Amino acid sequence: MIPVFDGHNDLLLRLHEAPDRREAIWLTGEGKGHLDLPRMKAGGFAGGFFAIYIPSPEAHDGLDYMTAMENPPFALPLGDLIGHKAAQPVALSMAGHLRWMERSSQGAFKVCTTAAELRACLAQGVIAGIMHMEGAEAIGPDLDALYLYHDMGLRSLGPVWSRPTVFGHGVPFAFPSSPDTGEGLTPAGKDLIRLCNKLRIMIDLSHMTEKGFWDVAALSDAPLVATHSNAHAITPSSRNLTDRQLAAIRDTGGMVGLNYATSFLRRDGRQSGDMGWEDALAHLDHLLEKLGEDHLGLGSDFDGATIPVGITDVAGQQNLVQAMRDHGYDEPLLRKICHGNWLHLLERTWGA
Ligand code: ZN
């Protein structure tokens, strides 16, 4: 079993939505969702980015997002901007759940803020968590809260989820669609990127528009990273990366994590887990060709997406590793994709 370090999951959202069941959700598992401590151990989950995400209020237009995504083509409208005063209590609650996961795990799970801590966890078999924010709604335009979140352990930030923020614009969920769907960073967004560089907080570009991607590329002194996105050449989703974007990521020593979400993975763009390995392997081959073998990792989107039946949940993630092995990827390459590349990227971004 090769340990897997993972670019993105939404377990904190499950805890936030059912705090009275958090022991069952995290510690014992309740047979739902994709992640819990017992299944992480069973599947060789070595660690990953745990997202603080502010849920959109209920959609009032009657649109059934799930049905639409199961029947491409689709282009789904986004929610309105959420202000930092509404977002901050939610973000604090989720950061608290992450710290509670650490305390309640009796040494099995640790929130890491340095690359040395990550390496130690991997060596000792302790599951490593990185505090990540997916969408910077909880930070006001004065940026003061970013210092506080950094003190709490935040080491990774996406300026936007797909919904707009005061910092920039994200891509709506659309298939087929270019990622060039609208505006990029605002002036406040440029300040946010500069401060992330100064604090050495990793910047995640997964949900940004193509304009926003190039704005960050022009400004940031850190490697470019998309924690959970795939190849647009294979699946032309708004959430996937063009070959030009992949080349820019490679040239900065950055990373892409393969997203298991079926609507970004299947060539037909359908949200349906009923699929084999062919499309996932086509993405991996393409990403390897464009990025090189030092810049590709995994970014499951566990607990945030519909994933292939061949994986089912974190306990089944070694099935994907085996599919890569059967496809001809050798053990040194598998170790890079499964964890080595993420560790090196974080050393380059955070400092060794
Ligand atoms: Zn996401």
Side-chain angles (χ1 to χ4, degrees), residues 8 10 134 161 207 228 239 301:
H8 186 89
D10 290 299
E134 182 173 44
W161 175 69
H207 283 260
H228 59 306
R239 278 279 284 103
D301 223 342

Side-chain angles (χ1 to χ4, degrees), residues 234 265 267 275-285 327:
I234 306 295
L265 205 53
R267 287 175 190 271
M275 63 186 287
W277 297 113
E278 193 195 334
D279 288 353
L281 293 169
H283 278 280
L284 288 162
D285 284 346
H327 189 56

Side-chain angles (χ1 to χ4, degrees), residues 110-129:
K110 178 178 166 62
V111 179
C112 293
T113 57
T114 68
E117 285 178 339
L118 286 177
R119 287 209 174 275
C121 281
L122 197 65
Q124 294 158 11
V126 174
I127 297 171

Side-chain angles (χ1 to χ4, degrees), residues 8 10 51 53 132 134 160-162 173 204 206-207 227-228 239 259 264 301 304:
H8 186 89
D10 290 299
Y53 161 78
H132 167 71
E134 182 173 44
V160 294
W161 175 69
S162 285
F173 295 95
D204 180 15
S206 263
H207 283 260
T227 56
H228 59 306
R239 278 279 284 103
N259 193 323
F264 313 144
D301 223 342

